Amino acid sequence: MKPLCRSIGIPLLSLMLCLYGGLAQAEEKRTKFSLAWSIYVGFMPWAYMDEAGIMDKWAKKYGIEVDLVQINDYIEAINMYTVGEFDGATMTNMDMLTIPSASGVDTTALITGDFSNGNDAVVLKGRDSIQDIKGMEVYLLELSVSHYALARALEMAGLSERDVTLVNTSDADIATTFKNSDVQAATLWNPQLQMAMQEPDAVKVFDSSQIPGEILDVMGVNSDTLKQYPELGKAVTGAWFETVGIMLGDSPQAVAARTYMGENSGTDLAGYDMQLAATYMFKTPQEKLDYLTTERVRETMDFVTRFTFKHGLLGSGAESPDVIGIELPDGSIWGNKDNVKMRFDHQFVRMAADGTL
């Protein structure tokens, strides 16, 4: 807001006009917002929501416009949100913590649409036990959710990262790399996982169904923006659950929706359904509320914060895993109460569950 006029002796009418102009500018509200999404099975509903006009319908209900923008590079989408080019972006809970929140951008998981229930996996060639991974080179995208999945797999098997050698590989190259006869172990996610499993001797020795609810897929939105413009939270939440209600099931509309999502993510209906089968998608607002309880979120983020702190992902000045405060679904703060930058606020989901959106 421009400063109000403070000239001495200014005529009364001019002073009134100046004051009015300043107040009008102060009261001017935004009506246009933009959210970024990238290709992944749990994020494809955003594509269909946009194509089918569902987002436009809900945005119009609340007198706003919401632009859904596809960004081909997953991390780039999060980075663009973090520097303020978007009001929100699709990301995992771990990446929400380590990129925007660790950078000081207070971010709310407005939509927690699903969790990986087999979409992330450790794959070996010709071996059927995670214990066989000891001493091997493991190809993966370091410091990603694949890295997290591997760390959890090793921990649960009584091993550690010291028992393997990590080979950093981009997500774009890892499925092709796994075809190399010298590569015997990899950790990767769909659709690359689906491609790797086509190798005749590929065996999944661990997948994310063994750590349910730990790898969450969210639409993270700037918390200050949501506080100032709750209509954005209402519109996006309403549009999301309408879309999910359409896509799940066997009706012609559901099949058409998933066919669109599959084709626009580089596969087909069968391929998309295969990925969806390894994704636990919350079908209704109440199902999400029942599953993502305060206790479950606290337990999940305990694993995540310990992993990210160990690998230096919470910033060079981080002295402990709880350097970033996390608001839990019941409003309590876990971690640093003076540095709350990550929130699981279910107020809009509760409205959807109550039918008050």
Side-chain angles (χ1 to χ4, degrees), residues 81 106-108 221-228 341 343:
Y81 157 69
D106 193 330
T107 302
T108 295
V221 177
N222 185 283
S223 300
D224 293 334
T225 301
L226 279 177
K227 184 176 180 180
Q228 188 173 0
K341 298 297 179 185
R343 302 177 191 270

Side-chain angles (χ1 to χ4, degrees), residues 5 9-21:
C5 299
I10 191 169
L12 179 60
L13 178 60
S14 297
L15 178 60
M16 291 176 65
L17 290 173
C18 180
L19 289 170
Y20 177 79

Side-chain angles (χ1 to χ4, degrees), residues 7-303:
S7 302
I8 297 175
I10 191 169
L12 179 60
L13 178 60
S14 297
L15 178 60
M16 291 176 65
L17 290 173
C18 180
L19 289 170
Y20 177 79
L23 290 172
Q25 188 171 2
E27 294 172 0
E28 183 179 346
K29 295 189 69 176
R30 287 178 59 192
T31 58
K32 295 184 179 181
F33 304 89
S34 60
L35 306 175
W37 64 273
S38 54
I39 290 177
Y40 173 70
V41 56
F43 299 152
M44 292 313 295
W46 298 103
Y48 179 76
M49 184 193 307
D50 192 28
E51 172 68 17
I54 297 171
M55 185 71 260
D56 289 342
K57 182 185 76 173
W58 279 89
K60 184 178 179 180
K61 177 179 179 179
Y62 289 100
I64 61 174
E65 295 178 30
V66 180
D67 191 17
L68 300 176
V69 182
Q70 179 183 343
I71 303 296
N72 291 329
D73 187 302
Y74 165 73
I75 293 296
E76 182 61 19
I78 306 173
N79 289 336
M80 292 172 74
Y81 157 69
T82 301
V83 300
E85 293 188 37
F86 291 98
D87 296 295
T90 52
M91 59 191 82
T92 66
N93 55 322
M94 189 183 97
D95 293 324
M96 178 176 161
L97 174 70
T98 61
I99 303 178
S101 295
S103 299
V105 180
D106 193 330
T107 302
T108 295
L110 174 61
I111 301 296
T112 305
D114 66 86
F115 62 80
S116 176
N117 199 35
N119 271 316
D120 299 82
V122 180
V123 182
L124 304 182
K125 287 180 179 175
R127 298 171 177 85
D128 59 8
S129 170
I130 186 65
Q131 298 289 343
D132 294 327
I133 203 170
K134 188 172 183 178
M136 300 179 87
E137 290 186 337
V138 184
Y139 289 71
L140 79 172
L141 178 61
E142 286 192 78
L143 307 181
S144 68
V145 291
S146 286
H147 193 162
Y148 174 79
L150 174 66
R152 291 287 284 126
L154 293 170
E155 179 183 34
M156 293 170 71
L159 302 172
S160 75
E161 290 183 47
R162 293 188 297 273
D163 293 310
V164 297
T165 300
L166 304 184
V167 182
N168 192 28
T169 311
S170 77
D171 58 325
D173 297 332
I174 193 163
T176 302
T177 301
F178 191 68
K179 293 178 179 293
N180 190 314
S181 59
D182 295 332
V183 178
Q184 295 295 305
T187 305
L188 60 175
W189 64 80
N190 274 319
Q192 293 90 338
L193 172 60
Q194 201 171 31
M195 296 170 61
M197 290 305 298
Q198 294 175 7
E199 293 298 298
D201 54 351
V203 180
K204 277 198 292 186
V205 295
F206 179 89
D207 68 38
S208 52
S209 67
Q210 294 166 255
I211 48 171
E214 292 188 28
I215 301 176
L216 301 168
D217 298 319
V218 309
M219 172 60 80
V221 177
N222 185 283
S223 300
D224 293 334
T225 301
L226 279 177
K227 184 176 180 180
Q228 188 173 0
Y229 302 101
E231 56 269 33
L232 173 63
K234 294 175 183 178
V236 172
T237 302
W240 174 264
F241 283 108
E242 178 177 335
T243 302
V244 172
I246 290 172
M247 66 177 282
L248 299 178
D250 298 320
S251 70
Q253 188 178 18
V255 172
R258 296 199 308 277
T259 298
Y260 178 85
M261 295 180 205
E263 291 175 350
N264 282 269
S265 61
T267 182
D268 53 17
L269 175 62
Y272 186 75
D273 280 349
M274 187 178 297
Q275 295 176 38
L276 197 61
T279 307
Y280 189 99
M281 186 160 284
F282 300 113
K283 300 179 179 64
T284 66
Q286 191 59 52
E287 184 179 4
K288 173 186 169 178
L289 293 173
D290 291 342
Y291 189 89
L292 286 181
T293 62
T294 293
E295 292 73 20
R296 187 181 294 274
V297 172
R298 183 188 292 113
E299 181 181 11
T300 289
M301 294 312 299
D302 181 43
F303 288 126

